[in-house]
Each structure stands twice: as structure tokens, then as C-alpha cells.
């Protein structure tokens, strides 16, 4: 019996298929979030990966901002519950999950028994989110995937005082105009986002083990900056971006079907 | 179900529909009253004794901002003022308040002082009756001071009405308002007990409509509703997720829609626009002798509120905990008005007190300009998944 979790984010759709032993049998990821063809493409990829057909799916749970648009879902769950469940599955000792998505950042506290206990989300503001990184990637003409490497070569970290996307863009442009190295500016950008997300995490309370999920978790520069900010190691699973979808698939399998 | 039961339920729906209609269109209420030749006076937050306005023969109408976008008021306020102030002024600048004979503007919060002066500058044609309330309200000198302020406002109302406010008229208004307050308190209990019949949105509308309706009229309708609800069979309290709401306002339709979609009901509230406004009655025996002192006494007795100074917050913390325990709520939803200093200052200690009692809580930021409720929906949905 197979179970499908669909995580429809603001910019990317992710799917995970699990079986009754909670093992991952397939996954799919497609650009395009709520209101696009992204979710269908991600489902098709996951089915192909699992070597399964739509009819093999016993239950589907949708999560993410576009969860209500997933017509095929049997039920919906919040992405916070799903990210928590997914993170616990990927890293059983986790007590704090930091999830930085395309449009918001969340910090989740997990009980020793692996249950979501409480959470905090950033205000509606692009600072400290994936959007901030995207904007900076555009301004500096450094592809997101290469940001960490470029920042890793920084001679020193420039101070970017503003974490507001609009003001930071102006600040970054004037630093570049002054002749600053791209790597130094990028290191400053990572530190600025880490300070913002770190403040959110400290408000919630950071209990190790700390795990990062969401699309931004893939960014090694961001992870390192956040580790420095919080003074604790942060684990990132290769499937970090799928944590929400994995949690949704696990909820689908627990739904009694 | 018997025919009587069916018709009772229909009447409950009808009454809730009437309240929703009123709550959704305060401007129509103002137009209706003035069309009937009555005069209306706007009453801004917080806790001005509407009884005085009522006793002068005016229809008091509560002005707690409105959902919408701040445009004109942007000339007077920077963006980091709460929308209660900015939208209140916006209403004045866009003609919504044109038919008011005056406004009463209390000053319990620092944001309301500049609002009063901006209002005066923006709409010099609408008399603004400034009411300075003392934070030291329990002392004899605090009460004396408040009575002197009330006397001044009383004189200004009398000049506008062209008649004296007699002690008898004021006593009568006190009785009308005490009855209304008691009926609203009863409704809060009954709405929680009959969650399948009174949605969170309907509950809010029934309470909000009291601000736009002459209190005797509202009282008649609400009493009918309460009597019908009281006669309905008891419900299982576990059918809905019950919470206590806390904040300044909890009336945004789109916000409350999420509560209803998630089957979340308000078991009790600590909201300034709701229960905090009608928790305390004016002592009637004192009102019969010295009604102005009775109004000051009632204000002195108000407590457990971010707007009202207390030497220590433990009483307010305990009050919130008791609300949760007594109502059987499973947690607290703080609806945090953006840029509201008084609420933000109290929040950490309230949250800490709830934490020590293992009472789950969540804070949702909002304001009256909000149009995207996606984040609020995610927060409420997750909160419900946690508290069950
Ligand atoms: S108490 Fe808060 S919401 Fe009310 S006027 Fe003051 S700042 Fe605004």
C-alpha cells in the first residue's frame, strides 16, 4: 500500500511516496507552486520514481500554501505539522526544526517524543526567507547554487546592516560600487539572514539537535552562517527539501486507510 | 425535531443574520438613525461611558476603525501607527462620519492623543469631545479627576443637545447599559455552549452590532436570541476546538472565517472590543444617588486589561488562566494588533504565565488592512493540530 504526500509551496512543489513501513518509495520535485502545473509534475515524477500508478495510492495528504488547491488530496495538514513529522523521520533525535521556505521562516519545537510542541513564524516580510536570497542572487548575478562557494572564498564578512530586501538591495549595490568583493558581500548577506532567522529561533528557544528543512537548507553558506549565529551544529539531510512532503505522506499512512 | 424546535432554530439564524447585517454596515445604521431625525455621536475606544451620550439623547456609535486601506489618513500618520487610529481617521476623511453630531475621544493609549489632535485638524467641522481618563483610577483623587473630566464632557454634550442631562436620565441610561452588558455576558456563555448554532463569525457580529445599535433595540434582539439559545439542547463541548481569544479586536471577517473553517470556537474572550468592554457594570445604587461618581467608580473597577495600568501583572495573568480553565478552552489565541504597544508590552508576561500552566498559546499578528490571511490560516491550522 502506498501513500502520497504533496507539499505545494510558493515556488516549488514536492512529493513523496511512502509504503506501509514508512519507507520512502519515490519522490518528485518540480518548479511551480500553488496555481501552476508544478504539483501535477511533481506527482508524476514521484509515481515514476516509485514505479507506481495513481491507482496504487491508498491515501493522499496535501500540505503547503497551495494545499487547498490539491484536488486529489483526501485531506490537508498544515506544513508546520508536516515539516515536524518529516524532520523527525529523517532525524529522530531532533528537538528544533528551522524551516526556511520561499516566503517565510518557521522555527518548530519538537518534544522528546517527536511531537510538534509549539512554533513561531516570521512576520510577513521577505527578510530571512528564500526570497531574500533570490533577490540577492539576482543583484549580484551569482546563481543560488553557487552562492555558498563564492561566500566560502570571502576574505572577510561585510556587514549588511539591513535585512529588509528593499533596503538591503540598495546597500549591496553601493557596497559593490565601492569595489567590495562579491564573496565578502555574500558572506555578509548570509550573516544578515542568519541574524534574522536566529533571532526568531532564539525567541522560541533552541534545543539541540537542530535540523534545517525547506529549500534554503540546501544552501551550505546559509547553514554555516546559522550555525555560527546559534552556536550549535545544524543537521541538513539530503532530503531536507522533501521534509514537508514526507511528513504529509506519513500522515496519509496514519489516516487509518 | 419538533416544529417548534425547527422554527426556533430558524429564528436563531434570522437573528444572527440581523446582527451580521448590522455589523457589516455601520454606515447604514448611521444613515438610518439620522434619516429618522435622530442625532448620533461617535465614540472612539476605549471605555468612554456611552451612558452620558445616551442620556443626552444621542445614539452612541462605536468607532473602532474598519477593514480597508489607509489612504487619506496617511497624510496624518506614519505607517507604524495601529489601524484603529489610522482607519478611524480614514473614516473621518472619507466622509463616512459626516452625519455624526460629534465624536468622543478617550485617551487611554498614547496613540489616541495624536489621533484626537489630528482629528481636530482634519475635521474641524465635527466637534471632538476629548476625554482624558486617569490611569490612577482607583484612588479618590483619580476618581475626582475623572468626574471633573466627565462633567466637562457632559457640559459639551448638553451644549450640542441643547438640553440638560438630568440625573434621572443618566440613571435610566445606566440601567439600560447594565442590562445590555449583562445580556452580552450571557450571550458569550450561550454562544460557547451552543457552538453548532453560533459560528465564530456570528458571535463576533452579534457583539459588534451592539456598537452600532441603540442599546435598548440591541438588548431586545439579543435577549430573544439568548432565550432561544438557552432552550436548545446541550452540546458536546468536544465537538469543536475551543479557545480563548485575547487582543484589541477579533472581528475581521476573513480572519474569523478561518476559525470557522477549522471548527474553532471562542469559549471565552479577553478582547477589548468584546468582553473587556462589558465585564463591569456601573453600580446602580450609587448611580441613583450620584450618577457621575458611579461612572467613575465603574471605570475604577475595570481591570485585567493592557489599556489599564496595574502595579503588577499577576492579577491579569491569573485572570487569563482562569478564563481558560473556567471555559474549558484548550488554548489561547493572541490576536496581536500591529504596532499596538500596550498589547505587546503585556504579551510576554501573559505568555510566560500560560507556559507555566502548560496552556498552549499562539500569537497571530494582524491589522485592519490585512488582505492575505494565508499565514494566519497556517498558524491556526497548526495550533489546532497541536491542541487537538
Ligand atoms: S491600544 Fe493599541 S490598538 Fe488601541 S489605539 Fe492604542 S496602539 Fe492602537
Amino acid at each position: 500500500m502506498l501513500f502520497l504526500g504533496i507539499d505545494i509551496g510558493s515556488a516549488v512543489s514536492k512529493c513523496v511516496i511512502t509504503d506501509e513501513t514508512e519507507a520512502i518509495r519515490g519522490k518528485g520535485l518540480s518548479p511551480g507552486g500553488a496555481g501552476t502545473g508544478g504539483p501535477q509534475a511533481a506527482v508524476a515524477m514521484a509515481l515514476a520514481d516509485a514505479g507506481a500508478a495513481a491507482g496504487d495510492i491508498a491515501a493522499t495528504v496535501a500540505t503547503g500554501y497551495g494545499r487547498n488547491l490539491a484536488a486529489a488530496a483526501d485531506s490537508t495538514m498544515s506544513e508546520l505539522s508536516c515539516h515536524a513529522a518529516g524532520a523527525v523521520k529523517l532525524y529522530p533525535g531532533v528537538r528544533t526544526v528551522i524551516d526556511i521556505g520561499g516566503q517565510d521562516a518557521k522555527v518548530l519545537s519538537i518534544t522528546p517524543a517527536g511531537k510538534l510542541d509549539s512554533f513561531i513564524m516570521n512576520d510577513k516580510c521577505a527578510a530571512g526567507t528564500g526570497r531574500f536570497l533570490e533577490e540577492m542572487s539576482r543583484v549580484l548575478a551569482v546563481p543560488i547554487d553557487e552562492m555558498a562557494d563564492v561566500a566560502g572564498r570571502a576574505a572577510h564578512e561585510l556587514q549588511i546592516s539591513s535585512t529588509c530586501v528593499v533596503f538591503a538591495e540598495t546597500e549591496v549595490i553601493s557596497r559593490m560600487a565601492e569595489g567590495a568583493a562579491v564573496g565578502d558581500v555574500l558572506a555578509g548577506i548570509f550573516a544578515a539572514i542568519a541574524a534574522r532567522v536566529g533571532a526568531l529561533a532564539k525567541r522560541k528557544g533552541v534545543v539541540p539537535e537542530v535540523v534545517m528543512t525547506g529549500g534554503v537548507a540546501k544552501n551550505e553558506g546559509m547553514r554555516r552562517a546559522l550555525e555560527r549565529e546559534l552556536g550549535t551544529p545544524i543537521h541538513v539531510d539530503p532530503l531536507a527539501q522533501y521534509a514537508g512532503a514526507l511528513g504529509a505522506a506519513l500522515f496519509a499512512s496514519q489516516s487509518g486507510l | 425535531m419538533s416544529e417548534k424546535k425547527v422554527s426556533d432554530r430558524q429564528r436563531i439564524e434570522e437573528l444572527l443574520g440581523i446582527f451580521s447585517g448590522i455589523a457589516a454596515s455601520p454606515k447604514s445604521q448611521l444613515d438610518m438613525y439620522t434619516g429618522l431625525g435622530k442625532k448620533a455621536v461617535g465614540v472612539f475606544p476605549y471605555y468612554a461611558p456611552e451612558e452620558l451620550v445616551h442620556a443626552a439623547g444621542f445614539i452612541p456609535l462605536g468607532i473602532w476603525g474598519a477593514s480597508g486601506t489607509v489612504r487619506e489618513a496617511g497624510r496624518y500618520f506614519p505607517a507604524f501607527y495601529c489601524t484603529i487610529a489610522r482607519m478611524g481617521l480614514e473614516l473621518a476623511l472619507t466622509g463616512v462620519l459626516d452625519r455624526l453630531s460629534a465624536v468622543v475621544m478617550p485617551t487611554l493609549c498614547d496613540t489616541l492623543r495624536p489621533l484626537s489632535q489630528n482629528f481636530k485638524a482634519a475635521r474641524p467641522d465635527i466637534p471632538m469631545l476629548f476625554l482624558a481618563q486617569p490611569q490612577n483610577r482607583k484612588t479618590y483623587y483619580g476618581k475626582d479627576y475623572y468626574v471633573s473630566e466627565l462633567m466637562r464632557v457632559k457640559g459639551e454634550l448638553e451644549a450640542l443637545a441643547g438640553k440638560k442631562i438630568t440625573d434621572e436620565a443618566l440613571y435610566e441610561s445606566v440601567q439600560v447599559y447594565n442590562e445590555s452588558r449583562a445580556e452580552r455576558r450571557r450571550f458569550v456563555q450561550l454562544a460557547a455552549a451552543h457552538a453548532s448554532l453560533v459560528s465564530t463569525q456570528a458571535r463576533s457580529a452579534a457583539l459588534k452590532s451592539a456598537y452600532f445599535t441603540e442599546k435598548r433595540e440591541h438588548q431586545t434582539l439579543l435577549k430573544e436570541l439568548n432565550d432561544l439559545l438557552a432552550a436548545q439542547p446541550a452540546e458536546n463541548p468536544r465537538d469543536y476546538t475551543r479557545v480563548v481569544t485575547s487582543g484589541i479586536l477579533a472581528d475581521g471577517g476573513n480572519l474569523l472565517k478561518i476559525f470557522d473553517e477549522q471548527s474553532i470556537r471562542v469559549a471565552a474572550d479577553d478582547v477589548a472590543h468584546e468582553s473587556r468592554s462589558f465585564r463591569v457594570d456601573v453600580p446602580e445604587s450609587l448611580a441613583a444617588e450620584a450618577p457621575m461618581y458611579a461612572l467613575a467608580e465603574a471605570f475604577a473597577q475595570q481591570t485585567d486589561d493592557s489599556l489599564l495600568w496595574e502595579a503588577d501583572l499577576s492579577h491579569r495573568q491569573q485572570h487569563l488562566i482562569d478564563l481558560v480553565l473556567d471555559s474549558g478552552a484548550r488554548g489561547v489565541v493572541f490576536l496581536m494588533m500591529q504596532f499596538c504597544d500596550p498589547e505587546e508590552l503585556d504579551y510576554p508576561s501573559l505568555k510566560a504565565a500560560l507556559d507555566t500552566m502548560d496552556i498552549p498559546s499562539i500569537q497571530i499578528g494582524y491589522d485592519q488592512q490585512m488582505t492575505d490571511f494565508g499565514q494566519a490560516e497556517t498558524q491556526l491550522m497548526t495550533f489546532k493540530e497541536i491542541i487537538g
Side-chain angles (χ1 to χ4, degrees):
Chain A
M1 214 184 285
L2 298 178
F3 304 96
L4 173 63
I6 313 177
D7 178 5
I8 307 176
S10 56
V12 179
S13 298
K14 288 82 63 179
C15 284
V16 167
I17 294 174
T18 54
D19 61 22
E20 59 269 41
T21 68
E22 298 194 341
I24 296 175
R25 296 280 294 272
K27 56 184 175 24
L29 180 148
S30 171
T36 71
Q40 284 89 330
V43 171
M45 283 169 72
L47 285 171
D49 192 28
D56 300 330
I57 303 295
T60 300
V61 167
T63 188
Y65 273 105
R67 60 183 172 264
N68 296 326
L69 301 173
D74 299 297
S75 61
T76 58
M77 288 289 287
S78 75
E79 57 265 38
L80 282 76
S81 295
C82 290
H83 269 276
V88 169
K89 179 74 184 164
L90 293 173
Y91 202 92
V94 62
R95 297 293 308 281
T96 306
V97 179
I98 298 177
D99 170 55
I100 310 183
Q103 65 171 14
D104 59 18
K106 308 137 193 152
V107 180
L108 318 176
S109 294
I110 310 290
T111 65
K115 290 263 170 286
L116 174 61
D117 177 55
S118 56
F119 61 93
I120 188 166
M121 291 174 90
N122 69 328
D123 290 335
K124 272 195 278 176
C125 171
T129 72
R131 242 211 66 219
F132 189 99
L133 277 183
E134 279 166 23
E135 278 303 302
M136 293 306 130
S137 154
R138 187 183 59 75
V139 172
L140 295 171
V142 178
I144 293 213
D145 295 350
E146 294 170 24
M147 280 178 138
D149 281 348
V150 177
R153 293 195 293 272
H156 63 277
E157 183 183 290
L158 271 187
Q159 177 108 25
I160 304 293
S161 55
S162 177
T163 47
C164 165
V165 176
V166 180
F167 292 128
E169 180 168 341
T170 317
E171 200 177 339
V172 164
I173 290 170
S174 51
R175 289 304 179 106
M176 294 301 289
E178 286 161 17
V182 179
D184 294 358
V185 175
L186 263 175
I189 288 169
F190 283 135
I193 301 178
R196 181 86 179 202
V197 178
L200 195 70
K202 286 171 195 162
R203 260 166 72 195
K204 184 94 267 321
V206 180
V207 181
E209 305 290 330
V210 183
V211 164
M212 224 176 135
T213 61
V216 175
K218 287 186 309 183
N219 196 309
E220 185 56 18
M222 198 57 247
R223 184 183 67 82
R224 283 195 301 259
L226 208 47
E227 277 184 337
R228 274 198 300 277
E229 181 67 31
L230 298 177
T232 183
I234 296 177
H235 309 282
V236 177
D237 190 276
L239 294 180
Q241 206 174 357
Y242 291 92
L246 172 59
L250 297 175
F251 281 119
S253 66
Q254 289 159 14
S255 62
L257 289 159
Chain B
M1 207 184 295
S2 74
E3 257 177 52
K4 160 108 178 72
K5 285 251 161 69
V6 171
S7 69
D8 281 359
R9 287 197 172 207
Q10 278 168 351
R11 182 62 185 152
I12 288 172
E13 269 176 37
E14 219 171 271
L15 287 163
L16 291 173
I18 293 171
F19 289 134
S20 297
I22 295 171
S25 53
K27 172 91 168 47
S28 313
Q29 290 292 103
L30 173 57
D31 292 346
M32 184 267 289
Y33 285 123
T34 49
L36 291 170
K38 298 184 180 175
K39 289 184 170 178
V41 166
V43 182
F44 278 74
Y46 294 88
Y47 318 135
E50 278 191 18
E51 289 90 333
L52 264 185
V53 178
H54 187 263
F58 295 108
I59 307 284
L61 297 180
I63 303 175
W64 293 63
S67 294
T69 306
V70 177
R71 294 182 205 282
E72 301 300 318
R75 283 187 280 139
Y76 293 85
F77 283 117
F80 49 80
Y81 266 69
C82 70
T83 44
I84 288 262
R86 287 189 295 149
M87 284 305 294
L89 193 59
E90 185 76 16
L91 296 176
L93 288 165
T94 50
V96 179
L97 308 184
D98 281 2
R99 297 176 85 166
L100 289 178
S101 299
V103 295
V104 176
M105 209 161 285
T107 51
L108 270 182
C109 149
D110 285 346
T111 297
L112 297 171
R113 284 170 203 280
L115 170 63
S116 68
Q117 301 315 300
N118 283 340
F119 189 98
K120 214 163 145 180
R123 290 304 303 260
D125 55 320
I126 303 177
M128 191 276 295
L129 316 187
F130 184 83
L131 174 64
Q133 295 147 306
Q135 284 291 2
N136 279 311
R137 60 201 184 282
K138 295 179 203 281
T139 58
Y140 75 87
Y141 48 84
K143 288 179 198 168
D144 281 352
Y145 172 77
Y146 195 34
V147 169
S148 72
E149 271 296 289
L150 291 174
M151 291 299 282
R152 185 177 51 72
V153 171
K154 179 173 175 247
E156 290 172 4
L157 283 166
E158 288 172 340
L160 286 167
K163 66 171 189 184
K164 285 273 170 218
I165 300 174
T166 63
D167 281 2
E168 292 70 31
L170 188 48
Y171 177 61
E172 207 177 292
S173 294
V174 164
Q175 287 180 311
V176 169
Y177 271 75
N178 276 353
E179 273 177 35
S180 167
R181 281 183 280 259
E183 206 63 56
R184 282 180 277 168
R185 291 194 293 267
R186 188 174 162 230
F187 171 71
V188 164
Q189 303 268 344
L190 286 165
H194 298 280
S196 74
L197 299 172
V198 187
S199 68
T200 304
Q201 291 174 89
R203 174 193 183 277
S204 160
L207 296 174
K208 184 177 180 177
S209 59
Y211 285 101
F212 312 133
T213 319
E214 195 277 325
K215 286 296 180 297
R216 257 183 293 237
E217 289 171 33
H218 191 266
Q219 159 77 10
T220 308
L221 291 170
L222 192 61
K223 182 170 184 325
E224 185 188 351
L225 176 63
N226 281 344
D227 290 345
L228 288 169
L229 286 173
Q232 293 297 311
E235 296 186 16
N236 181 352
R238 297 206 69 80
D239 285 349
Y240 290 84
T241 301
R242 285 155 200 271
V243 298
V244 166
T245 46
S246 178
I248 294 293
L249 275 175
D251 76 334
N254 285 325
L255 183 64
L256 297 185
K257 203 165 127 216
I258 303 170
F259 278 70
D260 284 329
E261 282 166 0
Q262 298 294 326
S263 298
I264 298 174
R265 292 287 193 268
V266 178
D269 77 83
D270 168 48
V271 171
H273 186 240
E274 299 180 354
S275 291
R276 286 193 216 164
S277 291
F278 50 80
R279 275 181 200 153
V280 174
D281 285 335
V282 177
E284 282 191 27
S285 50
L286 183 57
E289 303 285 317
M292 298 300 272
Y293 273 90
L295 295 178
E297 184 57 41
F299 182 58
Q301 286 173 17
Q302 273 189 251
T303 182
D304 304 320
D305 193 318
S306 63
L307 273 312
L308 300 167
W309 181 78
E310 300 289 343
D312 94 270
L313 262 170
S314 59
H315 197 272
R316 179 155 192 231
Q317 293 170 334
Q318 192 56 48
H319 173 261
L320 189 57
I321 290 168
D322 289 346
L323 269 187
V324 175
L325 300 180
D326 295 347
S327 67
R330 285 188 237 169
V332 176
V333 178
F334 289 97
L335 295 164
M336 185 60 74
M337 175 73 86
Q338 301 275 6
F339 308 117
C340 175
D341 290 350
E343 287 283 304
E344 280 175 1
L345 279 171
D346 274 15
Y347 171 73
S349 81
L350 294 177
K351 161 96 175 104
L354 294 174
D355 285 350
T356 57
M357 295 293 293
D358 282 333
I359 297 172
S361 66
I362 181 187
Q363 190 201 94
I364 297 178
Y366 83 105
D367 73 26
Q368 295 174 309
Q369 293 197 99
M370 213 160 133
T371 52
D372 174 16
F373 290 85
Q375 194 180 64
E377 185 187 353
T378 300
Q379 287 175 286
L380 270 174
M381 190 176 186
T382 312
F383 190 57
K384 188 186 163 175
E385 286 162 1
I386 292 174
I387 63 179

